[in-house]
Amino acid sequence: MSTMLQDYDHLLNIDPLSQYDILTTNPESHLNALGRCKESLNGRWHFTVDVYDTFLRKKFFEERVTDAQGRALPVDCDFDQWETVEVPSNWNCQKKEYWYFEGSGIYTRTFHYVPKAPDERVILHLGAANYGCRVWLNTRLIGRHTGGFTPFSVELTQHLKPNAGNRLILEVNNTRSVDQVPSLNYDWFNYGGVFRSVDLYRVPACYIRDSYIALAPNNRYDTLAVEITVDGAGSGIPVWLEIPELSLSVMLHTDAFGVAKSELTAKPQLWSPQNPKLYRVMVSTEGDRIEELVGFRQITTLGKKILLNGQEIFLKGVCCHEEIPERGRALTPADQRQVILQAKELGCNIMRLSHYPHDRNMALLADEMGMLLWEEIPVYWALCFENPTTQASAQNQMTELVMRDRNRASVVLWGVGNENPDTEARLDFMRALVDICKRLDPTRLTTAACLVDIDVMTVRDRLCQYIDVVAINEYYGWYYRDYTGLATILENTKLDRPLVISETGADALSGHHGMDEELFTEEHQAKMYQKQLELSEGSIQGFFPWILYDFRSPIRLNSYQQGFNRKGLISYDKTHRKLAHRVIQDYSCSVKN
Ligand code: GCU
């Protein structure tokens, strides 16, 4: 390659990429109020995998390079000649060659922008992109986001070319790295790419960025707490809130930060899985208006009890990954509905959406269909708890998840982590996440899958005192063959708050039958659950089988597994119900609530 080129970066700079670690999005300033018109950018995008990060090294985002006389110079890429892939999708599922690809994928398309109003602002919103995503508009880097499962938005307004074609580029990188959340090692498949919707929102100069409404905390059933954030507004801006079915129509005013806060008297019907009652809520300002369906309910604890709307409830749960054969994590609304229907068929009243935020639409459907949810971020196993980048990423993801779903009645538990070593740094790390949940949303419970201390056979995790519901993952009958270990732990564990089993289970290859002590048979998996339910009876406030469906995991290399974790109660293709499915179904139907 000739050294005539002006730009010697790629010759001189060992790590030219860090210059692009700028413009990180602020998790509290994303456009969250999505109950308004949008223009979808989904569809075919030009795409390439970029194994050596050449797009960044060679600044291909500059598109056209000319010499001093303005003559075009050769550029090793031509966006519009690249192949196309579907957005949203995971690149792994778009082409066989991309199946195990971990690295950068470059997406690009153009769109013609015609302003509709003089002062309009244009916001780009992505449902998620795994893991890191940089956004370019018309050769300019305008935003960067990390975290593979939470939404983010970037304002395009000042960089848009009116009445002209505009080029958008998304550079997405799913390379695993030790300082990320999750870190290098985890028990699920690392699908990459833009796997949730990409939309444009046109909003006025002052727009409703976020609207938070819920029954006021501390068991108040006749008071609504409201907090509406108007971006670009100072104090005194009128904001109207209407809930016609409650004959509620009030005008509030923003404070100096553009936030209108208030407590309003109203007595809504209470949302519950049996009665998923939703209300139309409209919020408007002079130039803007959003609409949303919201349910109202209280979730609290009282000693060891969990109370939904003041009534004791037993959490009949199931865990679930976000995965669909052939399409990775890019589930359609129909896929999502099927997942909730199959959990309902199992007799569940709650789903643990593990181990990362699933699509926003899951919570909207759960609101509508009457399914409680446990949502969490992938603070999974060992992380670099002391590392500021890791801390920032986890706090970012927690904030984005809570801001995204805090209006969802179905969501009752925020999970701040899963099976993390009980170190000082970890405790500080996860306490900070609990604080974020409580600051942004005092109406829900926090939890974490804590560690069992097998030396003393008890739940002795310092995090327990900082979370509302203590959860344990335990596999007595599988990773430990002696079932009775569970009974010992439950006997030894003295807690002043609710305890749930957040995971238990055994691998069983669909259709593989044998003696009930033979591993990987359906009989053994069924027996495992019978034993678990017997031994935990009366000592817990919730039970979550690991897991609804078999799922892909590169760490499962046994000949029965072949790249799958086979602990599903239902096969990977969602068609075959294993023997244990009936065990859980009978049990869930026997628990009256
Ligand atoms: C762990 C972990 C899961 C994992 C499961 C298993 O507890 O939280 O992500 O898949 O055990 O071993 O199957």
Side-chain angles (χ1 to χ4, degrees):
M1 177 177 310
S2 131
T3 54
M4 297 288 295
L5 288 178
Q6 289 136 329
D7 167 358
Y8 293 113
D9 247 11
H10 66 291
L11 297 184
L12 298 171
N13 210 325
I14 302 301
D15 173 22
L17 307 187
S18 56
Q19 65 183 293
Y20 300 109
D21 290 349
I22 53 172
L23 299 169
T24 300
T25 52
N26 166 0
E28 292 199 31
S29 66
H30 295 316
L31 168 61
N32 264 315
L34 298 189
R36 58 175 90 228
C37 304
K38 64 181 179 183
E39 288 151 53
S40 172
L41 290 179
N42 291 348
R44 305 301 294 183
W45 288 54
H46 289 284
F47 176 80
T48 188
V49 290
D50 181 7
V51 185
Y52 290 7
D53 296 308
T54 313
F55 168 82
L56 295 175
R57 291 176 199 284
K58 302 288 301 203
K59 303 185 189 324
F60 284 159
F61 47 82
E62 284 171 355
E63 280 206 68
R64 197 173 137 68
V65 182
T66 58
D67 65 8
Q69 285 73 37
R71 288 170 298 193
L73 291 172
V75 175
D76 300 335
C77 90
D78 42 7
F79 294 135
D80 298 332
Q81 306 320 312
W82 287 353
E83 64 173 328
T84 62
V85 294
E86 197 60 31
V87 167
S89 75
N90 290 111
W91 61 60
N92 317 74
C93 307
Q94 292 289 302
K95 212 170 165 179
K96 213 163 166 315
E97 296 87 320
Y98 299 157
W99 182 245
Y100 283 117
F101 179 67
E102 292 189 321
S104 272
I106 315 294
Y107 296 81
T108 184
R109 64 162 289 171
T110 56
F111 63 94
H112 195 74
Y113 171 59
V114 179
K116 287 194 179 143
D119 67 346
E120 84 177 1
R121 296 167 68 182
V122 179
I123 314 272
L124 176 74
H125 183 276
L126 285 86
N130 189 40
Y131 181 85
C133 179
R134 293 187 185 94
V135 181
W136 272 266
L137 180 67
N138 299 332
T139 78
R140 287 178 76 97
L141 175 60
I142 58 170
R144 171 176 174 263
H145 179 264
T146 59
F149 303 95
T150 44
F152 58 100
S153 59
V154 178
E155 176 144 12
L156 305 185
T157 319
Q158 58 274 51
H159 307 295
L160 277 169
K161 290 186 272 181
N163 307 311
N166 289 263
R167 177 174 295 283
L168 202 50
I169 303 174
L170 305 173
E171 173 249 335
V172 180
N173 192 312
N174 75 333
T175 306
R176 284 166 296 115
S177 133
V178 69
D179 61 356
Q180 289 176 355
V181 180
S183 185
L184 289 166
N185 181 33
Y186 41 85
D187 192 15
W188 63 83
F189 193 89
N190 183 24
Y191 294 103
V194 181
F195 64 100
R196 294 188 190 146
S197 271
V198 182
D199 300 296
L200 284 183
Y201 288 88
R202 293 171 193 258
V203 292
C206 283
Y207 71 91
I208 302 162
R209 192 178 72 216
D210 187 77
S211 139
Y212 175 34
I213 181 166
L215 274 177
N218 312 324
N219 281 329
R220 285 183 287 161
Y221 291 91
D222 58 359
T223 308
L224 300 184
V226 180
E227 184 180 319
I228 295 156
T229 306
V230 182
D231 192 288
S235 61
I237 299 290
V239 178
W240 289 269
L241 174 85
E242 295 159 77
I243 310 181
E245 240 188 298
L246 293 173
S247 322
L248 194 77
S249 176
V250 291
M251 181 159 73
L252 311 171
H253 288 89
T254 53
D255 61 18
F257 305 100
V259 178
K261 252 188 187 172
S262 180
E263 292 205 339
L264 309 168
T265 306
K267 211 166 175 7
Q269 241 188 76
L270 298 172
W271 183 99
S272 68
Q274 295 80 3
N275 174 40
K277 170 67 187 167
L278 299 175
Y279 288 86
R280 255 177 89 223
V281 176
M282 282 92 84
V283 178
S284 53
T285 58
E286 242 122 49
D288 197 14
R289 186 180 178 288
I290 59 156
E291 184 165 326
E292 197 176 358
L293 290 175
V294 179
F296 299 103
R297 54 99 193 94
Q298 292 282 10
I299 186 79
T300 52
T301 61
L302 182 64
K304 291 178 184 271
K305 293 188 184 134
I306 300 174
L307 307 179
L308 176 65
N309 299 328
Q311 304 297 315
E312 184 174 358
I313 184 170
F314 183 89
L315 301 183
K316 302 184 285 184
V318 71
C319 304
C320 187
H321 268 294
E322 182 179 51
E323 190 175 39
I324 190 99
E326 282 83 46
R327 278 184 280 112
R329 310 219 182 283
L331 275 66
T332 63
D335 299 328
Q336 292 155 348
R337 194 174 283 278
Q338 184 206 21
V339 170
I340 297 177
L341 285 174
Q342 290 194 309
K344 276 193 169 277
E345 177 205 32
L346 201 52
C348 298
N349 57 16
I350 186 166
M351 295 180 73
R352 177 184 174 192
L353 302 184
S354 29
H355 289 294
Y356 38 78
H358 291 205
D359 189 295
R360 169 192 215 112
N361 196 46
M362 269 307 263
L364 291 166
L365 284 174
D367 271 12
E368 177 204 318
M369 297 165 76
M371 177 63 77
L372 297 166
L373 293 179
W374 160 330
E375 294 194 323
E376 62 187 87
I377 61 168
V379 173
Y380 185 87
W381 291 348
L383 296 186
C384 301
F385 295 112
E386 306 83 357
N387 181 323
T389 305
T390 312
Q391 290 162 357
S393 178
Q395 295 176 14
N396 203 34
Q397 296 182 43
M398 195 83 244
T399 304
E400 288 171 345
L401 172 60
V402 174
M403 296 286 289
R404 186 192 78 177
D405 287 350
R406 59 183 181 169
N407 273 0
R408 305 280 72 79
S410 54
V411 181
V412 288
L413 284 161
W414 299 122
V416 297
N418 183 76
E419 295 185 2
N420 318 100
D422 186 0
T423 64
E424 213 53 58
R426 170 259 192 175
L427 190 59
D428 296 345
F429 186 104
M430 294 175 79
R431 285 186 61 187
L433 299 176
V434 170
D435 294 348
I436 287 173
C437 294
K438 294 297 178 187
R439 175 173 62 81
L440 294 174
D441 172 41
T443 71
R444 280 180 187 79
L445 306 175
T446 53
T447 188
C450 301
L451 286 184
V452 173
D453 186 329
I454 47 170
D455 301 333
V456 287
M457 291 302 276
T458 183
V459 179
R460 196 168 62 166
D461 187 325
R462 288 175 292 170
L463 184 66
C464 292
Q465 63 196 292
Y466 300 105
I467 50 180
D468 302 304
V469 173
V470 172
I472 53 170
N473 298 349
E474 53 72 29
Y475 286 86
Y476 286 93
W478 181 249
Y479 293 124
Y480 300 98
R481 294 302 304 272
D482 165 14
Y483 293 103
T484 59
L486 174 61
T488 313
I489 288 169
L490 294 175
E491 212 173 293
N492 295 349
T493 299
K494 307 286 176 248
L495 289 169
D496 61 355
R497 56 202 70 206
L499 171 67
V500 302
I501 292 180
S502 42
E503 282 183 34
T504 189
D507 282 55
L509 182 61
S510 293
H512 178 53
H513 293 283
M515 304 305 290
D516 66 10
E517 273 308 317
E518 189 191 336
L519 298 181
F520 294 100
T521 61
E522 292 197 24
E523 285 74 11
H524 175 259
Q525 187 191 45
K527 178 180 177 185
M528 202 271 185
Y529 277 113
Q530 270 145 1
K531 281 283 194 183
Q532 283 270 340
L533 295 169
E534 219 178 275
L535 292 167
S536 60
E537 179 87 33
S539 319
I540 53 174
Q541 283 69 46
F543 187 86
F544 293 76
W546 184 260
I547 185 164
L548 187 54
Y549 309 109
D550 292 353
F551 61 95
R552 283 189 183 280
S553 169
I555 70 169
R556 302 293 168 175
L557 307 171
N558 164 302
S559 59
Y560 289 106
Q561 298 167 324
Q562 304 202 344
F564 287 86
N565 183 312
R566 301 277 185 199
K567 293 191 180 70
L569 296 169
I570 301 178
S571 57
Y572 177 63
D573 64 4
K574 304 188 191 308
T575 59
H576 175 82
R577 290 159 182 71
K578 303 176 191 176
L579 293 179
H581 184 278
R582 169 49 60 84
V583 174
I584 298 298
Q585 201 176 38
D586 293 350
Y587 169 75
S588 302
C589 299
S590 72
V591 177
K592 292 287 162 270
N593 74 36

